[in-house]
């Protein structure tokens, strides 16, 4: 059917969700395509949801999420006025882009990076200024600085970068902050920061104390394993947060999600232990791949990147055959999430087989 609509929408690529685990013949299959946490929810988190939330689902949630906002403010050393919740950090990023950018404006960000950025920017009617990553998958800082102009309304930095796993150094983050005018906002999307073991990495919350035009986006989806409940938050200057709240989807963050996030903060030490074990698995897999002859850039998230170029599609078939759904970027490479140890063992096996095939 033809219908009147904003033609810019026709140019937006639809978001492609990571594929579910494929059918595997005679072996367990795994979904390692969406950078999810392989651990099941902690019993105390499930109990908090059941005990406090489920009886109240006939009621709207607290739209501002005060209890959680106050807790997050205390943890992050800011005031509650500096925190806004979102239905995942995806919504927080959407709030920010709608707040600052519209037709005629530009949003500068590295590419390849989180695939929602171009969708969110085009959805707001603004233009994307994508800056190609350096060959090692890290942000091209000179390129990002060179892309700034009078139309720039937002710069997005992704640390560590999805899908390449590269970390952004404090020195490079400061170079960007010195180059960006103080009335232009810079979003530090730190969805995977808990996995970032890079020496000298930038820490956006620390930088925020020096540069008030920084917005920090964090999520409970990854290290805290609440991807299915959709909850994330931003830290920013109070007037930025006020603006973001105005354009937020009303009641987008459920009471269940808020309770689960609060309960997760109560057991953060246990969750951090899980993060440590995922990091150990990541390092084990990458070390094994290097022995096989792969040249993987050091990953700093709960996933790693295999640069495969033209061989990407052929390699992707081998993963599916082995019962693994991975994230395939045709002609570029494959992003592999660190999953259960058995899934990781299968990844090592498939990579060995690919090397034997001459890939
Ligand atoms: C870099 C990055 N930012 C933000 C998100 C959004 O996560 P969520 O909306 O689940 O908080 C993701 C999800 O994969 C991501 O990779």
């Amino acid at each position: 059917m033809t219908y009147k609509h904003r033609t810019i929408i026709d140019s937006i690529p639809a978001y492609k969700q990571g594929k579910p685990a494929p059918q595997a013949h005679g072996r367990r299959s795994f979904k390692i395509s969406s950078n999810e946490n392989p651990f099941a929810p902690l019993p105390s988190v499930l109990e908090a949801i059941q005990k406090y939330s489920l009886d109240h689902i006939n009621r709207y949630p607290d739209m501002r999420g005060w209890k959680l906002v106050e807790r997050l403010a205390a943890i992050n050393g800011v005031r509650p006025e500096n925190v806004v919740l979102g239905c995942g950090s995806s919504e927080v990023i959407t709030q920010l882009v709608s707040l600052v950018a519209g037709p005629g404006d530009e949003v500068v960000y590295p590419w390849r990076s989180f695939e929602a950025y171009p969708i969110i920017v085009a959805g707001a009617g603004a233009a994307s200024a994508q800056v190609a990553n350096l060959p090692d998958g890290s942000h091209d800082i000179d390129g990002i600085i060179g892309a700034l102009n009078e139309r720039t309304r937002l710069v997005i930095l992704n640390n560590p970068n999805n899908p390449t796993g590269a970390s952004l150094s404090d020195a490079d983050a400061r170079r960007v902050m010195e180059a960006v005018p103080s009335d232009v906002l810079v979003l530090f999307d730190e969805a995977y920061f808990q996995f970032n073991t890079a020496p000298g990495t930038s820490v956006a919350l620390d930088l925020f104390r020096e540069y008030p035009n920084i917005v920090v986006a964090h999520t409970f989806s990854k290290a805290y394993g609440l991807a299915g409940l959709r909850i994330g938050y931003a830290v920013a200057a109070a007037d930025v947060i006020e603006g973001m709240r105005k354009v937020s989807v009303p009641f987008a963050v459920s009471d269940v999600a808020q309770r689960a996030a609060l309960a997760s903060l109560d057991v953060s030490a246990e969750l951090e232990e899980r993060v440590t074990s995922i990091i150990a698995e990541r390092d084990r897999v990458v070390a094994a791949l290097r022995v096989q002859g792969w040249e993987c850039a050091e990953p700093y998230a709960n996933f790693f990147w295999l640069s495969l170029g033209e061989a990407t599609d052929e390699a992707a078939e081998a993963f599916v055959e082995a019962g693994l759904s991975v994230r395939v970027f045709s002609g570029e490479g494959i992003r592999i999430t660190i999953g259960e140890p058995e899934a990781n063992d299968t990844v090592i096996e498939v990579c060995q087989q690919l090397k034997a095939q001459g890939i």
Side-chain angles (χ1 to χ4, degrees), residues 13-16 108-119 129-140 144 156-167 189 192 303-309 312 327-335:
Y15 190 101
K16 289 198 201 88
V108 177
Y109 55 88
W111 197 250
R112 197 168 266 288
S113 194
F114 181 34
E115 75 166 297
Y117 298 154
I119 300 172
Q130 299 183 335
V131 179
N133 290 322
L134 297 175
D136 66 357
S138 63
H139 293 2
D140 175 356
I144 288 173
I156 303 178
L157 304 173
N158 186 198
N159 184 30
N161 187 55
N162 174 11
T164 58
S167 176
D189 178 353
Y192 304 92
F303 54 83
F304 68 97
W305 174 250
L306 276 187
S307 184
L308 290 153
T312 299
R327 194 72 161 85
V328 181
F329 298 91
S330 238
E332 293 179 56
I334 295 182
R335 188 195 69 199

Side-chain angles (χ1 to χ4, degrees), residues 6 8-9 11-13 97 117-128:
R6 291 160 58 216
I8 192 170
I9 304 298
S11 66
I12 302 181
V97 173
Y117 298 154
I119 300 172
I120 294 170
V121 171
S128 282

Side-chain angles (χ1 to χ4, degrees), residues 88-90 93 114 117 158 162 189 191-192 219 221-222 230-231:
S89 56
S90 305
I93 299 167
F114 181 34
Y117 298 154
N158 186 198
N162 174 11
D189 178 353
Y192 304 92
T219 179
S221 296
K222 309 295 179 181
R230 315 302 305 123
I231 182 158

